[in-house]
């Protein structure tokens, strides 16, 4: 007889959170991803987040799958079904389960009652015992245990077993001998659950059409493809978590799109340099020669690139950098996510230096802004930072398909041609003829006798002639300031959204925080807290940012770092009264959740002058 599951249990369809607690190196990653993709195949949107350690194996790892027919894009917070496969984290994992939730575990060895909770339903499956009976090879026992628990979950949650089988076939295409054993392990777990439990439990997956044409992709892969579409032909990098997969993805895309079909000849150069300093040097050299070049790194790499970044800024050489941010300071938390490099990148290098930052929200914008970054770098003749983070870069997101206009052409900015030089046009490498702070440049070898100049990191006049005279230096710095003002009109504009009801409170956010924001705002609105919002998409800030803050009595700034770096940037660059900006900071290394945002904003309300958060309506 099937075993009944008793007690007060959660009952939800297409709206719950499953969390897998595993050991790194156990082979669980592919099984957990198989679980998530199987739900997508049933037409139900999912949100996945992977929390993994920085060592190769042995430490705890968690993989969260949020099933959300409403299509929320961010983590919710809380766990409805915990798949507890790691004894090291057992107590913490059990504690995180919502009241009325479920605990799924390997029951091969008995557990004392003290290890459970009275307000959850416990589902024990003897996974190790089943594997020991079915397999003799130790590695097979470990790997197939993961597939067995996917099979058991399929029965417990009423998932489509046929969809899972098709995914297994796709996963092992070309390795056909592995397909049948994995399907057999899947049904081993499914059959056990059907025979021993009342299936399905209160949590169910029901077929839907909520996925539509959306794609499931990680941001590093998306950004790498954006580099290809943006015309990049040179990449120089040094391995560092969490950015390495971007360079690796670019290499895969180039093998497909950057080789001549007729000859197979490569039309790209990908160089793993000896360190981060060398990688940015290669990028600057390639860009100076006219190539579109980039590097990908994280916070520690940005630290090592400082002097070269100053050279590129002052000598005005286009370059693109992808900073996939992680937790700091120093080595910090290399496999955790943060938005911790804002100030380091905005003012990278010594002296009075300012850099353009792009702030993508998800993989789709990572693709778009990666391509746009190369146009911006050429137009502004300066380094452009694309500020990803580990959450966007290494997690797979469900997002709208990428779009590209085939009529689009590369914008190389102000480049003086041989014909213009031959016609006698005045060329000064640092001469501002249009009043926008952007001078003309030439590519090496443009003309045999005209258009040449000496590229230097020291001060020089408008014609690139060395000079340490004060007025000459001031003239150049004022022109660079004008160029930064010009950048405000070229970078992506912020996105403003008005609350459903009039309010004198606003909220600023950016990057991966956007994934949880819609749900958080809905939760706050249900509590009577209405907020106008502005999503920042770039630095320098458009005038609309200052206008937004000044229109509201109080503005919450939500960010994922400890020192309120975005708030600091807003105060410094816009001259905003710091008292008007209330900092909401999340920096434990996990992706920010809707529950955190709503809770933190609601908790901060009593300390403001906004009671209630509404304007008087005339």
């Amino acid at each position: 007889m099937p075993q009944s599951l008793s007690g007060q249990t959660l009952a939800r369809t297409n709206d719950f959170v499953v969390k897998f607690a595993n050991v790194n190196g156990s082979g669980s990653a592919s099984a957990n991803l198989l679980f998530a993709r199987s739900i997508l195949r049933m037409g139900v949107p999912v949100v996945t987040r992977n929390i993994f350690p920085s060592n190769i194996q042995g430490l705890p790892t968690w993989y969260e799958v949020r099933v959300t027919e409403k299509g929320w894009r961010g983590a919710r917070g809380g766990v409805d079904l915990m798949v507890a496969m790691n004894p090291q984290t057992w107590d913490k994992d059990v504690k995180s389960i919502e009241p009325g939730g479920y605990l799924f575990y390997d029951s091969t060895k008995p557990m004392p009652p003290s290890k459970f909770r009275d307000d959850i339903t416990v589902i024990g499956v003897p996974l190790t015992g089943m594997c020991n009976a079915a397999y003799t090879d130790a590695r097979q026992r470990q790997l197939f245990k993961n597939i067995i628990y996917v099979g058991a979950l399929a029965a417990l949650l009423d998932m489509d077993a046929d969809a899972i089988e098709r995914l297994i076939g796709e996963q092992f295409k070309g390795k056909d001998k592995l397909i049948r054993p994995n399907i057999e392990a899947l049904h081993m777990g499914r059959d056990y659950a059907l025979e021993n439990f009342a299936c399905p439990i209160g949590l169910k997956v029901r077929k839907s059409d909520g996925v539509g044409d959306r794609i499931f992709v990680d941001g590093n892969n998306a950004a790498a493809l954006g580099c290809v579409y943006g015309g990049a032909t040179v990449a120089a990098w040094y391995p560092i978590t969490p950015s390495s997969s971007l360079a690796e993805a670019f290499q895969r895309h180039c093998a497909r799109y950057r080789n001549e079909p007729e000859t197979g000849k490569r039309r790209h150069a990908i160089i793993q340099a000896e360190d981060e300093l060398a990688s940015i040097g290669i990028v600057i050299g390639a860009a100076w020669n006219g190539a579109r070049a980039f590097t990908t790194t994280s916070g520690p790499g940005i630290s090592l690139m400082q002097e070269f970044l100053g050279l590129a800024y002052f000598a005005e050489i286009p370059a693109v950098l992808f900073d996939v941010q992680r937790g700091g300071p120093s080595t910090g938390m290399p496999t955790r996510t943060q938005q911790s490099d804002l100030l380091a990148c905005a003012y990278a290098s010594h002296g009075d230096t300012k850099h353009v930052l792009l702030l993508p929200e998800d993989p789709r914008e990572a693709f778009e802004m990666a391509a746009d970054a190369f146009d911006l770098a050429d137009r502004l003749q300066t380094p452009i930072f694309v500020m990803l983070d580990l959450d966007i870069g290494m997690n797979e997101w469900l997002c709208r398909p990428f779009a590209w206009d085939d009529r689009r052409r590369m914008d190389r900015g102000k480049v003086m041609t041989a014909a213009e030089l031959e016609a006698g046009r005045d060329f000064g490498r640092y001469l501002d003829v249009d009043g926008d702070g952007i001078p003309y440049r030439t590519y090496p070898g443009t003309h045999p006798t005209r258009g040449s100049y000496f590229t230097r990191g020291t001060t020089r006049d408008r014609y690139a002639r060395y000079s340490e005279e004060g007025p000459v230096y001031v003239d150049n710095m004022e022109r660079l300031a004008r160029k930064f003002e010009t950048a405000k009109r070229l970078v992506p504009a912020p996105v403003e959204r008005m609350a459903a009801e009039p309010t004198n409170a606003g909220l600023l956010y950016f990057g991966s925080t956007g994934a949880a924001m819609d749900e958080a705002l809905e939760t706050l609105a249900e509590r009577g807290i209405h907020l106008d919002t502005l999503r920042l998409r770039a630095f320098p800030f458009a005038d609309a940012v200052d206008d937004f803050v000044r229109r509201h009595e109080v503005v919450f700034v939500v960010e994922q770092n400890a020192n309120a770096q975005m708030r600091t940037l807003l105060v410094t660059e816009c001259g905003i009264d710091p008292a008007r900006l209330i900092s909401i900071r999340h920096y434990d290394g996990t992706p920010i959740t809707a529950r955190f945002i709503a809770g933190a904003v609601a908790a901060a309300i009593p300390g403001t002058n906004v009671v209630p958060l509404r304007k008087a309506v005339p």
Side-chain angles (χ1 to χ4, degrees), residues 15 66 68 72-76 514-524 526 593-595 598:
D15 181 21
R66 182 182 186 185
T68 168
W72 298 124
R73 298 186 305 146
R76 184 197 72 187
M517 189 56 66
D518 287 348
E519 184 179 7
L521 292 172
E522 181 176 290
T523 300
L524 287 166
E526 290 171 354
T593 67
R595 287 184 179 181

Short mmCIF file of all heavy atoms in Angstrom, two decimals, residues 15 66 68 72-76 514-524 526 593-595 598:
data_model
loop_
_atom_site.label_atom_id
_atom_site.label_comp_id
_atom_site.label_asym_id
_atom_site.label_seq_id
_atom_site.Cartn_x
_atom_site.Cartn_y
_atom_site.Cartn_z
N ASP A 15 3.56 26.71 -8.50
CA ASP A 15 3.97 27.87 -7.71
C ASP A 15 4.64 27.41 -6.42
O ASP A 15 4.03 27.38 -5.36
CB ASP A 15 2.75 28.74 -7.39
CG ASP A 15 3.13 29.99 -6.60
OD1 ASP A 15 4.31 30.38 -6.63
OD2 ASP A 15 2.24 30.55 -5.92
N ARG A 66 12.76 27.57 -8.80
CA ARG A 66 11.47 28.16 -8.47
C ARG A 66 10.51 27.91 -9.63
O ARG A 66 10.76 28.32 -10.77
CB ARG A 66 11.61 29.66 -8.23
CG ARG A 66 10.27 30.30 -7.86
CD ARG A 66 10.36 31.79 -7.67
NE ARG A 66 9.08 32.30 -7.19
CZ ARG A 66 8.82 33.59 -7.02
NH1 ARG A 66 9.76 34.50 -7.26
NH2 ARG A 66 7.64 33.97 -6.59
N THR A 68 7.13 28.86 -11.27
CA THR A 68 6.31 30.07 -11.15
C THR A 68 5.52 30.32 -12.41
O THR A 68 6.04 30.91 -13.37
CB THR A 68 7.16 31.30 -10.79
OG1 THR A 68 6.38 32.49 -10.94
CG2 THR A 68 8.42 31.39 -11.65
N TRP A 72 7.36 35.10 -12.59
CA TRP A 72 8.33 35.92 -11.85
C TRP A 72 9.74 35.52 -12.25
O TRP A 72 10.03 34.34 -12.46
CB TRP A 72 8.16 35.74 -10.35
CG TRP A 72 6.83 36.16 -9.80
CD1 TRP A 72 5.95 35.40 -9.09
CD2 TRP A 72 6.21 37.46 -9.90
NE1 TRP A 72 4.85 36.13 -8.74
CE2 TRP A 72 4.97 37.40 -9.23
CE3 TRP A 72 6.59 38.66 -10.51
CZ2 TRP A 72 4.11 38.49 -9.14
CZ3 TRP A 72 5.73 39.75 -10.42
CH2 TRP A 72 4.51 39.66 -9.74
N ARG A 73 10.63 36.49 -12.32
CA ARG A 73 11.97 36.22 -12.85
C ARG A 73 13.03 36.05 -11.78
O ARG A 73 14.13 35.57 -12.07
CB ARG A 73 12.39 37.36 -13.79
CG ARG A 73 11.49 37.51 -15.01
CD ARG A 73 12.03 38.54 -15.96
NE ARG A 73 12.25 39.82 -15.28
CZ ARG A 73 13.23 40.67 -15.58
NH1 ARG A 73 14.11 40.35 -16.52
NH2 ARG A 73 13.35 41.80 -14.94
N GLY A 74 12.73 36.43 -10.55
CA GLY A 74 13.73 36.40 -9.51
C GLY A 74 13.46 35.35 -8.45
O GLY A 74 12.40 34.72 -8.42
N ALA A 75 14.44 35.19 -7.58
CA ALA A 75 14.27 34.28 -6.46
C ALA A 75 13.22 34.84 -5.51
O ALA A 75 13.12 36.05 -5.30
CB ALA A 75 15.60 34.09 -5.73
N ARG A 76 12.43 33.94 -4.92
CA ARG A 76 11.37 34.36 -4.02
C ARG A 76 11.85 34.50 -2.59
O ARG A 76 11.52 35.43 -1.87
CB ARG A 76 10.23 33.33 -4.07
CG ARG A 76 9.00 33.68 -3.24
CD ARG A 76 8.13 32.44 -3.01
NE ARG A 76 8.74 31.51 -2.06
CZ ARG A 76 8.25 30.31 -1.79
NH1 ARG A 76 7.17 29.87 -2.42
NH2 ARG A 76 8.85 29.52 -0.91
N GLY A 514 16.79 43.66 -10.87
CA GLY A 514 15.52 43.77 -11.58
C GLY A 514 14.73 42.49 -11.62
O GLY A 514 13.50 42.51 -11.76
N ALA A 515 15.41 41.34 -11.50
CA ALA A 515 14.70 40.07 -11.60
C ALA A 515 13.66 39.91 -10.51
O ALA A 515 12.57 39.37 -10.74
CB ALA A 515 15.71 38.92 -11.53
N ALA A 516 13.95 40.38 -9.31
CA ALA A 516 13.03 40.23 -8.19
C ALA A 516 12.16 41.46 -7.97
O ALA A 516 11.27 41.44 -7.11
CB ALA A 516 13.82 39.95 -6.91
N MET A 517 12.37 42.52 -8.73
CA MET A 517 11.73 43.79 -8.41
C MET A 517 10.24 43.80 -8.66
O MET A 517 9.45 44.33 -7.85
CB MET A 517 12.41 44.92 -9.19
CG MET A 517 11.98 46.30 -8.77
SD MET A 517 12.22 46.64 -6.99
CE MET A 517 14.01 46.59 -6.88
N ASP A 518 9.77 43.26 -9.79
CA ASP A 518 8.33 43.30 -10.08
C ASP A 518 7.52 42.65 -8.98
O ASP A 518 6.50 43.17 -8.54
CB ASP A 518 8.05 42.60 -11.42
CG ASP A 518 8.51 43.42 -12.61
OD1 ASP A 518 8.84 44.60 -12.42
OD2 ASP A 518 8.55 42.87 -13.72
N GLU A 519 7.97 41.49 -8.52
CA GLU A 519 7.26 40.78 -7.47
C GLU A 519 7.31 41.56 -6.16
O GLU A 519 6.31 41.64 -5.43
CB GLU A 519 7.85 39.39 -7.29
CG GLU A 519 7.11 38.54 -6.29
CD GLU A 519 7.71 37.15 -6.16
OE1 GLU A 519 8.79 36.89 -6.76
OE2 GLU A 519 7.10 36.31 -5.47
N ALA A 520 8.46 42.14 -5.86
CA ALA A 520 8.59 42.93 -4.64
C ALA A 520 7.65 44.13 -4.65
O ALA A 520 7.01 44.45 -3.64
CB ALA A 520 10.04 43.39 -4.46
N LEU A 521 7.55 44.80 -5.80
CA LEU A 521 6.67 45.96 -5.90
C LEU A 521 5.20 45.57 -5.75
O LEU A 521 4.42 46.30 -5.14
CB LEU A 521 6.89 46.66 -7.25
CG LEU A 521 8.25 47.35 -7.43
CD1 LEU A 521 8.41 47.83 -8.86
CD2 LEU A 521 8.40 48.51 -6.45
N GLU A 522 4.84 44.42 -6.29
CA GLU A 522 3.47 43.95 -6.13
C GLU A 522 3.16 43.66 -4.66
O GLU A 522 2.10 44.01 -4.15
CB GLU A 522 3.23 42.70 -6.98
CG GLU A 522 1.80 42.17 -6.87
CD GLU A 522 1.54 41.00 -7.78
OE1 GLU A 522 1.50 41.20 -9.02
OE2 GLU A 522 1.37 39.86 -7.27
N THR A 523 4.13 43.03 -3.98
CA THR A 523 3.95 42.75 -2.56
C THR A 523 3.80 44.04 -1.76
O THR A 523 2.94 44.15 -0.87
CB THR A 523 5.15 41.94 -2.03
OG1 THR A 523 5.24 40.71 -2.76
CG2 THR A 523 5.01 41.65 -0.56
N LEU A 524 4.63 45.02 -2.06
CA LEU A 524 4.55 46.30 -1.35
C LEU A 524 3.23 47.01 -1.63
O LEU A 524 2.62 47.59 -0.73
CB LEU A 524 5.72 47.19 -1.76
CG LEU A 524 7.09 46.78 -1.21
CD1 LEU A 524 8.21 47.50 -1.94
CD2 LEU A 524 7.17 47.06 0.29
N GLU A 526 0.41 45.65 -2.25
CA GLU A 526 -0.63 44.97 -1.47
C GLU A 526 -0.63 45.45 -0.02
O GLU A 526 -1.66 45.38 0.65
CB GLU A 526 -0.40 43.46 -1.53
CG GLU A 526 -0.68 42.85 -2.90
CD GLU A 526 -0.24 41.40 -2.99
OE1 GLU A 526 0.39 40.90 -2.03
OE2 GLU A 526 -0.51 40.76 -4.03
N THR A 593 16.31 38.63 -3.24
CA THR A 593 14.97 38.04 -3.39
C THR A 593 13.89 39.11 -3.27
O THR A 593 14.11 40.19 -2.70
CB THR A 593 14.71 36.96 -2.33
OG1 THR A 593 14.65 37.59 -1.03
CG2 THR A 593 15.80 35.91 -2.33
N ALA A 594 12.70 38.76 -3.78
CA ALA A 594 11.56 39.67 -3.67
C ALA A 594 11.20 39.88 -2.20
O ALA A 594 10.84 41.00 -1.79
CB ALA A 594 10.38 39.10 -4.45
N ARG A 595 11.27 38.82 -1.40
CA ARG A 595 10.94 38.94 0.01
C ARG A 595 11.89 39.91 0.71
O ARG A 595 11.47 40.71 1.56
CB ARG A 595 11.00 37.58 0.69
CG ARG A 595 9.85 36.66 0.33
CD ARG A 595 9.92 35.37 1.12
NE ARG A 595 8.80 34.48 0.80
CZ ARG A 595 8.61 33.29 1.36
NH1 ARG A 595 9.48 32.84 2.26
NH2 ARG A 595 7.58 32.54 1.02
N ALA A 598 11.00 43.65 -0.45
CA ALA A 598 9.75 44.12 0.14
C ALA A 598 9.90 44.30 1.65
O ALA A 598 9.44 45.31 2.22
CB ALA A 598 8.63 43.12 -0.17
#
